[in-house]
Amino acid sequence: MFGFFGKNEKKGPEERLADCLSRRDWEGLARAYYDLGVAAMDRGELDRAVLWLHRADTVYSARGDVYEKVSGKRLFHQGIADDCSRRIGELEEAPLLCNDAPAQAEERAGELNDPQLRVWGMLSLARLVRLGERLSRLPGCQVLGELGWAVDAMCASFQEPMTQEAFQRLMGVCNGLYELGDSEAFFAGGEIEVPGGAPFQVFDLNGMAALLELDGCLDSHLRLLSALSQNQEPPAAETGVITCALLPDYYVRTGAGRPEEVPQLQAELARIWSDCDFVRAGITWDQVARRVEMYKTLDILQL
């Protein structure tokens, strides 16, 4: 007589993903991602565990009602939030690209002064412009089409004061990225075609917290401009954006192999370290602008 309870759990997690997405069952979606992550972790597939557990965390963290449901015990349901967080914490100590690359960037950041560090991050942001333009055509993702304007405005502001109109527009982009990260358009959004490869989901930006780091980069720049205009001590530059164009979720999700072995990821790592050397070399703003323009046309999903 109780067969209707939890009948969805009889399906495998991957089947449940599609089912929950179609029914807009966000609690079920979070649990399906969690189950995929636990299974991958138990098999020792740590890159896939990171992928799925972080997706679970993003889904249930985006909505208070969903978090409440997954954080405690209910009839026929065990809370998953605490265990998911615990597992994510364990995975942060694993020798994985998603951990090693940011740590290496943080170490290299100690070799740079604040303006150099900001330019280094801005160059990584520029490499997401073309992908952002394509993703911006998906419902609710229009703000990603503003990355090109944002990086141009940031670059110009290092040389001359930003107008109030531009400041407000940049703040709007920053706020839009933050709002997108908590929206269904992100965690239940669409995908774009990739020539010669599997489709890219907007949720693939969840890897390396790319969307959050983009928001943090713009917010840091806004706080810098505000501090300078008031003769205050500027905040320290953010470093997370430096590695956000690696996009490991896409390659792990589509079975491209271990991130360390994926040619596109190797190429992006080479660009990251090349940019670090570039900003240390006594560059001019004309050189920075030329590199930004080159990166804005780059398709980072292709070799």
Side-chain angles (χ1 to χ4, degrees):
M1 64 180 293
F2 297 108
F4 61 88
F5 284 113
K7 64 180 180 179
N8 195 42
E9 276 71 9
K10 294 180 181 179
K11 299 179 180 179
E14 293 184 356
E15 288 183 286
R16 286 159 47 205
L17 285 181
D19 185 53
C20 291
L21 282 169
S22 66
R23 294 188 295 108
R24 299 166 64 84
D25 174 6
W26 308 137
E27 178 191 358
L29 184 66
R31 289 181 179 278
Y33 279 135
Y34 167 79
D35 288 344
L36 283 168
V38 169
M41 197 167 179
D42 290 346
R43 293 193 302 267
E45 298 174 357
L46 301 189
D47 289 306
R48 297 188 71 80
V50 169
L51 164 71
W52 301 126
L53 291 173
H54 275 282
R55 287 197 173 199
D57 179 78
T58 296
V59 173
Y60 67 64
S61 297
R63 296 176 57 108
D65 58 333
V66 176
Y67 181 80
E68 183 177 350
K69 291 176 180 177
V70 303
S71 61
K73 294 181 179 179
R74 297 188 299 123
L75 185 64
F76 302 110
H77 286 283
Q78 179 73 29
I80 63 171
D82 286 346
D83 186 61
C84 189
S85 296
R86 178 187 64 79
R87 288 174 180 273
I88 287 174
E90 288 183 16
L91 290 166
E92 288 174 351
E93 303 300 319
L96 301 171
L97 177 69
C98 61
N99 298 327
D100 295 343
Q104 292 167 14
E106 186 72 28
E107 183 178 353
R108 295 289 299 272
E111 306 169 4
L112 306 177
N113 60 36
D114 192 81
Q116 290 172 331
L117 187 53
R118 291 181 184 277
V119 172
W120 191 15
M122 185 178 67
L123 292 171
S124 290
L125 189 157
R127 290 196 293 277
L128 286 170
V129 166
R130 185 171 175 184
L131 178 61
E133 289 172 348
R134 297 187 62 209
L135 291 170
S136 70
R137 302 186 184 102
L138 298 174
C141 297
Q142 293 85 349
V143 68
L144 295 173
E146 292 284 319
L147 296 181
W149 175 85
V151 75
D152 286 344
M154 292 170 65
C155 191
S157 71
F158 283 112
Q159 304 166 74
E160 58 186 27
M162 181 177 284
T163 67
Q164 186 62 28
E165 180 183 6
F167 186 92
Q168 291 299 321
R169 182 176 174 183
L170 190 61
M171 183 179 295
V173 177
C174 182
N175 292 339
L177 290 170
Y178 181 83
E179 292 167 2
L180 176 60
D182 283 338
S183 75
E184 296 171 15
F186 181 52
F187 63 76
E191 60 185 27
I192 58 173
E193 294 298 317
V194 175
F200 185 97
Q201 298 177 351
V202 65
F203 205 10
D204 289 328
L205 293 177
N206 201 52
M208 310 291 289
L211 207 57
L212 182 63
E213 297 299 353
L214 289 173
D215 167 62
C217 177
L218 299 192
D219 180 70
S220 177
H221 194 75
L222 288 165
R223 289 187 288 112
L224 168 70
L225 297 178
S226 181
L228 292 176
S229 70
Q230 301 176 55
N231 294 317
Q232 296 177 349
E233 185 70 20
E238 299 288 335
T239 61
V241 71
I242 292 167
T243 55
C244 72
L246 286 167
L247 307 175
D249 275 22
Y250 171 66
Y251 300 103
V252 174
R253 179 182 63 80
T254 58
R258 286 185 54 80
E260 295 85 350
E261 301 168 354
V262 175
Q264 290 89 337
L265 281 174
Q266 292 173 344
E268 174 58 15
L269 281 171
R271 286 187 289 263
I272 290 170
W273 310 135
S274 172
D275 285 347
C276 183
D277 294 335
F278 171 74
V279 299
R280 292 180 61 192
I283 53 173
T284 67
W285 285 113
D286 283 343
Q287 290 173 310
V288 172
R290 286 196 295 272
R291 186 165 284 214
V292 165
E293 287 302 312
M294 176 183 68
Y295 282 156
K296 283 166 56 182
T297 65
L298 182 67
D299 186 348
I300 56 175
L301 300 179
Q302 302 293 320
L303 288 176

